[in-house]
Amino acid sequence: MYHLARLSLITLSCLALLATRAAADELDEVVGDIPAPATEAPTAARSTQFAPVELTFANYRTEVMLVALAVGLVANYFYGSQANAALSKAWERPIAEVLRQNFSLVGDGTRVLEWDSAADMLFYASGRRHCKFAQGHLMLKARQDALALLNDLAANNQERLEVEVALNDDEAKGFVFAAVPRKRSKALSRDRYDIATFAKAVSSDKVPQRMVLLSEHADVTSQLLDCGLSEKLAGDDALLEELIISDSPAEKPDSHDFKREKKLTAVIRLPQLSDANLQRFRETLAFVFYMVDFVCEGIALRPETVRKLGKARDDAFKEFARMAEHEKQEALAKTLAEKRRIELEEVGKMSPEQRRKWEEKDRKRQLKKEQGKRVRRVR
Ligand SMILES: *[C@@H]1O[C@H](CO)[C@@H](O)[C@H](O)[C@H]1NC(C)=O
């Protein structure tokens, strides 16, 4: 519905724009007539000015074209929505199958894919070992929206399924690993805090040239590739386009008590519809969930690997430990200042004699504090 509204809005603004132009053109013609000498039969001039415009295509060209454009856009909306509905039905079947075999709760119990727009469908599933939930986003071409479609074509946007699985934090091993298309790897290792902090690009002859591995440790890399990942990435027509496993935040945290979540995300490309491709798609999606099991129970990292991963996190998050310490100090200083303020207020109400005594005591107290500080510094 949102897209229909947007479409009509665009059409309306186009109409308004062109109508103003047409009106301006007509006004030009009228104004152009005025300099005609007034002495020369003014009544005749007036009568030509207001003569009805003949109903020919030439006179209404702008209007006709606008109406045609509006009709075209509306027709495209309905045609494109229908085409996407048919496509999403075709892709829903393998998605539903794999989800139902892996999760006890899929969608709202009846439908699996929920329409967010005519080109975006979402799914949600929960109730599976080793993970809290999985959510997905099926992204089709915006066939219903001519402008967005042009944009898709220009950006070379592929139709795809994005899947995100929230892993059980106490079961998944803590590391960062990404297998991504070469053209995305620079942006990812620049923009994602976890990848930038922990992973480095590593070369491997087990993945095709178009892919880049960003990993922390050779132990992790080799075990993941050998569990079936390298086959799923092999070949120019591989459907698995991207796989990221991470135990750290994608964005740099701004406080020390940031959420530590473990996540597995995957991007699966949608190929041409065919039985063979649907089967490959089903296998690829099932593989993503198999990876969930592998990361939680299959992978057997060497003790020194685990130690190294742990140390990398301690080092990286030192800054946040310092932040926590700093916050504690600040809170303490604030309470002390507040106590002093109240004390001074009370001193203000004292008699001069009492105040003199208090000032004496306070001076001694400050002196002691200063000395304490100096001794500590010397040590
Ligand atoms: C997940 O689905 C795949 C294929 O649909 C199936 O082979 C596999 O056993 C399922 N995994 C679990 C843990 O149920």
Side-chain angles (χ1 to χ4, degrees):
M1 228 45 233
Y2 160 76
H3 279 272
L4 186 58
R6 194 176 128 199
L7 208 66
S8 354
L9 215 68
I10 293 172
T11 319
L12 276 179
S13 14
C14 284
L15 278 172
L17 205 78
L18 288 166
T20 10
R21 251 197 53 201
D25 284 350
E26 273 164 33
L27 199 68
D28 260 358
E29 281 165 26
V30 172
V31 173
D33 277 355
I34 286 179
T39 50
E40 208 184 89
T43 46
R46 203 172 298 139
S47 70
T48 52
Q49 253 181 45
F50 293 104
V53 183
E54 242 181 291
L55 205 64
T56 62
F57 178 67
N59 285 336
Y60 288 97
R61 188 182 296 152
T62 324
E63 287 83 349
V64 169
M65 267 158 43
L66 280 174
V67 170
L69 180 69
V71 169
L73 285 176
V74 170
N76 180 67
Y77 175 81
F78 286 108
Y79 171 76
S81 306
Q82 225 144 47
N84 272 2
L87 266 178
S88 80
K89 265 223 181 79
W91 290 114
E92 185 170 24
R93 223 164 297 133
I95 293 173
E97 251 174 60
V98 176
L99 288 181
R100 291 217 170 96
Q101 277 176 34
N102 277 268
F103 293 86
S104 59
L105 221 81
V106 179
D108 60 3
T110 51
R111 272 189 350 212
V112 173
L113 287 184
E114 192 183 316
W115 276 50
D116 197 36
S117 83
D120 300 84
M121 292 96 201
L122 310 172
F123 74 69
Y124 181 91
S126 63
R128 188 194 190 278
R129 63 187 182 199
H130 304 319
C131 65
K132 295 175 213 155
F133 63 85
Q135 56 191 11
H137 184 179
L138 185 72
M139 300 161 94
L140 300 177
K141 288 209 174 91
R143 292 180 178 79
Q144 81 289 358
D145 183 340
L147 289 178
L149 193 59
L150 279 181
N151 182 41
D152 274 358
L153 285 178
N156 194 21
N157 281 345
Q158 292 264 16
E159 301 200 300
R160 61 190 186 275
L161 173 69
E162 294 185 357
V163 184
E164 178 185 316
V165 187
L167 303 170
N168 281 349
D169 296 318
D170 48 349
E171 292 178 310
K173 306 289 180 292
F175 58 79
V176 175
F177 173 88
V180 296
R182 192 165 288 279
K183 56 181 193 288
R184 287 242 307 145
S185 69
K186 270 231 176 70
L188 271 178
S189 43
R190 184 191 57 220
D191 300 339
R192 277 193 57 151
Y193 170 75
D194 49 356
I195 294 178
T197 311
F198 298 110
K200 281 192 303 285
V202 293
S203 58
S204 165
D205 50 8
K206 288 181 179 163
V207 294
Q209 265 299 308
R210 67 188 160 77
M211 298 297 285
V212 171
L213 296 180
L214 301 157
S215 183
E216 273 194 90
H217 202 288
D219 196 9
V220 175
T221 316
S222 68
Q223 291 200 47
L224 288 179
L225 288 178
D226 291 344
C227 87
L229 181 58
S230 60
E231 280 105 81
K232 280 282 174 290
L233 296 174
D236 281 341
D237 62 343
L239 299 188
L240 186 59
E241 222 177 54
E242 186 176 309
L243 179 85
I244 301 177
I245 303 168
S246 173
D247 72 327
S248 295
E251 269 173 45
K252 188 174 174 147
D254 52 9
S255 85
H256 58 85
D257 52 354
F258 60 92
K259 266 210 208 137
R260 303 287 284 269
E261 284 177 325
K262 292 177 179 165
K263 265 188 205 160
L264 184 152
T265 54
V267 178
I268 303 175
R269 186 171 63 81
L270 302 189
Q272 290 286 330
L273 268 182
S274 75
D275 284 347
N277 279 342
L278 280 169
Q279 180 56 23
R280 282 207 304 147
F281 175 80
R282 193 180 294 124
E283 284 165 14
T284 310
L285 184 57
F287 176 76
V288 170
F289 296 127
Y290 164 71
M291 285 298 277
V292 171
D293 293 342
F294 188 76
V295 167
C296 290
E297 62 180 30
I299 196 167
L301 298 175
R302 288 196 295 267
E304 61 264 33
T305 308
V306 175
R307 252 197 315 275
K308 216 161 164 195
L309 294 173
K311 181 161 185 319
R313 274 140 194 78
D314 288 347
D315 288 348
F317 299 143
K318 221 181 249 161
E319 179 188 341
F320 299 108
R322 262 202 302 270
M323 219 188 260
E325 183 59 26
H326 184 73
E327 246 169 58
K328 219 168 77 189
Q329 294 292 344
E330 243 174 23
L332 187 69
K334 220 165 135 189
T335 14
L336 285 181
E338 178 64 14
K339 223 169 109 187
R340 176 93 184 153
R341 193 187 60 78
I342 292 170
E343 203 175 352
L344 285 178
E345 228 173 59
E346 269 163 20
V347 170
K349 294 182 209 139
M350 288 173 181
S351 64
E353 178 59 14
Q354 272 173 324
R355 200 180 306 171
R356 202 191 51 75
K357 265 191 191 153
W358 180 85
E359 273 163 4
E360 182 90 0
K361 226 170 80 189
D362 191 53
R363 202 172 310 122
K364 270 185 195 157
R365 215 163 40 181
Q366 300 290 353
L367 212 65
K368 226 163 138 188
K369 217 157 61 182
E370 277 300 307
Q371 268 168 356
K373 262 190 203 158
R374 220 170 295 142
V375 170
R376 238 179 296 150
R377 228 175 283 146
V378 167
R379 271 206 213 130

